Structure formats: C-alpha cells, structure tokens
C-alpha cells in the first residue's frame, strides 16, 4: 500500500516537472517571438528620423552639330538622424555606423542606379566616380559630424547618401531656353514616373565603443512624391514603424 502511494506521488511529481518544463519552453518561445517582432527596446542610440528629398537635375551638353541637350539625373538624397537615447543610463559612444547589403528592385531594368557618398561637410553631392560606392558605406564616430570625411559625432548626428538614376533620358532644348532644375524636367522629356520607380533595401548597423552591434533592415520606395508635377518630393518619417533593431 505504501509502495503504491509512493509510486503515485512519483508520477505526480514527474507530471509537475514536465508541466513546468513545458511552461518554461512556452515562455522562452513567447519572448523570442516578441523580440523578433519588436526588436531591441532600449538601444544606446536611436534612429530618430529618415528624410528623403527626391528631384531631378540636368547635365547640360551640346553635340557636334551645336544642338543643346540635358542628360537627366533623377536623384534621391537620404538623411538619417541618429541621437542618444535619453533613457539609456550607461555611458556609451558610437564607434561606427554602417550601411550594407544594398538590394535594388527596379520597375525598369534598362535604368542604371548608382549610390554616392557626400563630397562636402554639409551633405551635398557630386555625381562622379570618385564619390560612388557599391555595397557598403561606413561613418566613423568622432568628435564632430562631417559628411565629407564620413564622420559622425560619437553622440549622434545626421548622415546620409544619395541614390541616383542617371540614364533615364535627355531633353533637347534651344540655347536660350531655361531648363528646369527639378523633377518637372522629367515631364518636359516625356518620362513617366512608373518607368523610374524602384525599391532599395539595406542594413543599417549601429556599433558602439563597447562593441555592441544593432542592425535593422530598411526598405525605401523611390523616388518619393509626385516630382513630375511638384518638382521636388519630400518625405520625413519619424514614426519608423517598420524599422526594428536587433542585437547581433
């Protein structure tokens, strides 16, 4: 009788241990799912805003007959505002910010899309081979933010790059004609917005001096706005609902 009672207690204890084990696994899975969906909630530095300015500009030329024409560049200047998280209580500094793994999906496979780093300290661009980059761009942390030297203040700043479609067509004009230096130039050249749209995705990596790394994949639809009519399209995203950072 005592042996039977002991066996029952042992079975009950086994079930209790098994039940607790299952609960622990479910809690762990729930926490993993929550992290996968929401990401890191208390980063030392936050991405505060993404700003995009889309427009177009002409490259003026003339041919052997003396006819004047403008090669059209459709450009998208993209800015990232990174700031110290006031809720993060530990001392921390930015070691580097990396943009990596660029992937571009085009609506028109004939267009050529290139990426450029700034050439001045105030985030202006020269669309020459010297400033072109392929699949990665790195800003190092320092005392000040200086786009020309690819440096960001180690407590935050504004950095960025420009993505350009540079073979979408040309506009022939008379010598005394005033050529638009914005997106309305596309309308004059009979270029449809649908033919120059594209999607770009890339990883934004924040690395700190304590060797913590946080990564988010960002996807942008470009150009932004109706530049054919408005000339310039501007988007300022402060909600960043689809930007989720995870430690790696």
């Amino acid at each position: 009788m005592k042996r039977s009672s002991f066996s029952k207690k042992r079975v009950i204890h086994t079930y209790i241990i098994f039940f607790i084990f299952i609960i622990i696994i479910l809690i762990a899975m729930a926490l993993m799912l929550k992290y996968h969906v929401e990401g890191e909630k208390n980063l030392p530095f936050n991405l505060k805003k993404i700003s995009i300015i889309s427009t177009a500009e002409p490259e003026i030329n003339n041919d052997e007959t003396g006819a004047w024409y403008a090669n059209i560049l459709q450009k998208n200047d993209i800015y990232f505002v990174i700031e110290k998280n006031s809720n993060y209580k530990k001392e921390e500094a930015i070691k580097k910010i990396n943009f990596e793994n660029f992937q571009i999906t085009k609506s028109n496979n004939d267009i050529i899309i290139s990426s450029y780093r700034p050439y001045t300290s105030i985030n202006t661009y020269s669309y020459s081979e010297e400033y072109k980059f392929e699949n990665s761009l790195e800003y190092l942390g320092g005392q000040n933010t200086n786009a020309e030297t690819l440096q960001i203040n180690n407590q935050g700043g504004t950095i960025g790059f420009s993505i350009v479609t540079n073979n979408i067509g040309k506009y022939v004009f008379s010598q005394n004609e005033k050529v638009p230096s914005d997106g309305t130039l596309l309308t004059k050249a009979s270029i449809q917005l649908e033919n120059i749209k594209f999607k770009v995705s890339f990883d934004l990596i924040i690395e700190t001096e304590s060797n913590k790394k946080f990564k988010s994949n960002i996807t942008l639809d470009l150009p932004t706005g109706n530049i054919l009519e408005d000339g310039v399209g501007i988007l300022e995203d402060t909600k960043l609902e689809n930007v989720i950072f995870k430690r790696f």
Side-chain angles (χ1 to χ4, degrees):
M1 191 71 179
K2 288 183 178 179
R3 183 176 298 176
S4 176
S5 176
F6 176 78
S7 298
K8 287 181 179 178
K9 287 182 179 180
R10 191 171 183 178
V11 170
I12 291 172
H13 288 164
T14 301
Y15 277 117
I16 291 173
I17 292 170
F18 179 75
F19 180 74
I20 292 172
F21 180 70
I22 294 298
I23 293 297
I24 291 172
I25 291 177
L26 291 174
I27 291 173
M29 291 177 63
L31 291 174
M32 291 173 63
L33 179 61
K34 180 180 175 66
Y35 187 81
H36 178 74
V37 173
E38 298 181 2
E40 198 78 23
K41 302 304 290 183
N42 191 34
L43 286 78
F45 296 92
N46 291 326
L47 177 61
K48 182 181 180 181
K49 180 171 66 173
I50 298 176
S51 298
I52 304 171
I53 301 175
S54 296
T55 188
E57 69 175 45
E59 286 186 333
I60 305 299
N61 294 281
N62 65 335
D63 61 23
E64 63 277 0
T65 67
W68 290 88
Y69 66 93
N71 287 324
I72 302 172
L73 305 180
Q74 193 285 300
K75 57 182 187 176
N76 306 278
D77 298 343
I78 307 168
Y79 303 95
F80 304 83
V81 180
I82 296 172
E83 66 174 10
K84 183 71 182 291
N85 180 3
S86 59
N87 295 321
Y88 193 85
K89 302 307 179 184
K90 297 179 182 179
E91 291 292 327
E92 191 58 281
I94 294 172
K95 182 177 182 179
K96 63 179 72 170
I97 305 290
N98 278 61
F99 300 96
E100 299 180 351
N101 302 319
F102 283 77
Q103 303 290 330
I104 292 176
T105 304
K106 308 174 187 178
S107 61
N108 177 2
N109 288 327
D110 292 331
I111 63 176
I112 297 173
I113 299 170
S114 303
S115 302
Y116 296 86
R117 50 159 290 187
Y119 89 108
T120 70
S121 61
I122 56 172
N123 283 297
T124 53
Y125 294 91
S126 171
Y127 301 111
S128 62
E129 289 293 322
E130 180 181 358
Y131 300 101
K132 185 185 292 187
F133 69 91
E134 294 298 330
N135 199 42
S136 65
L137 181 66
E138 180 178 271
Y139 282 82
L140 295 177
Q143 294 299 310
N144 300 290
T145 298
N146 187 323
E148 182 179 5
T149 58
L150 295 178
Q151 181 173 288
I152 181 172
N153 185 293
N154 61 25
Q155 295 302 298
T158 300
I159 56 177
F161 51 83
S162 187
I163 301 182
V164 177
T165 306
N166 51 20
N167 70 322
I168 55 178
K170 64 182 182 179
Y171 174 63
V172 180
F173 61 95
S174 59
Q175 186 171 358
N176 297 322
E177 182 181 352
K178 185 177 180 180
V179 179
S181 294
D182 59 27
T184 59
L185 178 59
L186 302 172
T187 302
K188 280 185 169 291
S190 300
I191 296 170
Q192 301 297 314
L193 190 60
E194 292 73 22
N195 292 330
I196 59 171
K197 285 184 175 179
F198 63 98
K199 187 185 297 286
V200 59
S201 67
F202 52 89
D203 294 331
L204 169 56
I205 300 171
I206 301 174
E207 183 175 348
T208 69
E209 289 290 352
S210 63
N211 294 319
K212 294 183 177 71
K213 293 183 180 181
F214 305 91
K215 178 169 70 174
S216 178
N217 184 261
I218 295 172
T219 300
L220 303 173
D221 292 305
L222 299 173
T224 191
N226 185 2
I227 59 174
L228 273 69
E229 294 183 6
D230 301 332
V232 179
I234 298 175
L235 173 67
E236 293 196 351
D237 187 356
T238 57
K239 294 183 178 179
L240 303 172
E241 294 175 347
N242 296 320
V243 178
I244 299 171
F245 281 92
K246 298 175 185 176
R247 189 179 297 198
F248 74 107

